[in-house]
Amino acid sequence: MTVPLRTTGFVAVRSTASRTPLDALLAAELAAAVRATRHGILVASARPPDPEGTFVLVQPCDERQRPVRPAVRVGPLETADDVDELCTWLRAGLLDPATLPLHLLGVTEATRRS
């Protein structure tokens, strides 16, 4: 069965243990993006921060918060523009990883060459 890319909701998980200059902006912008959607949920996790940087895990869901596709690990989020890209993507509701910039999917020049 093929699931359409338009998704009703999502669960976004971010670590609260991270201590980077971007944390306050990420927390505020993610909260605003979730409030702007009908079925978005934001989960704050106390898990240790990822040593590779700041990431948000996004699980596309239906209106009952049942997963409809694999989760997407978005990041590393390194700039305010990265946070804006993530939040715009969440608000759009498609949640198709192909519509995110490659660097927010962990794809680097080294990854592309291998």
Side-chain angles (χ1 to χ4, degrees):
M1 176 175 110
T2 303
V3 177
L5 289 179
R6 186 95 183 143
T7 303
T8 302
F10 61 87
V11 176
V13 182
R14 76 170 189 90
S15 172
T16 58
S18 178
R19 299 286 179 252
T20 70
L22 205 56
D23 289 338
L25 176 67
L26 178 60
E29 293 299 315
L30 266 179
V34 168
R35 282 192 305 273
T37 63
R38 186 168 178 170
H39 295 287
I41 295 174
L42 178 58
V43 176
S45 169
R47 75 178 279 283
D50 193 312
E52 295 177 26
T54 301
F55 291 84
V56 173
L57 187 66
V58 178
Q59 175 64 69
C61 299
D62 66 14
E63 65 278 352
R64 291 184 174 168
Q65 289 79 45
R66 295 177 299 203
V68 294
R69 288 193 311 281
V72 180
R73 181 178 182 240
V74 181
L77 301 164
E78 297 175 334
T79 67
D81 286 343
D82 291 346
V83 172
D84 184 58
E85 288 274 359
L86 166 62
C87 292
T88 299
W89 182 73
L90 290 172
R91 285 184 188 101
L94 297 176
L95 306 183
D96 179 358
T99 61
L100 279 171
L102 289 178
H103 74 278
L104 291 183
L105 294 172
V107 178
T108 62
E109 280 300 317
T111 307
R112 282 184 231 162
R113 284 190 294 251
S114 55

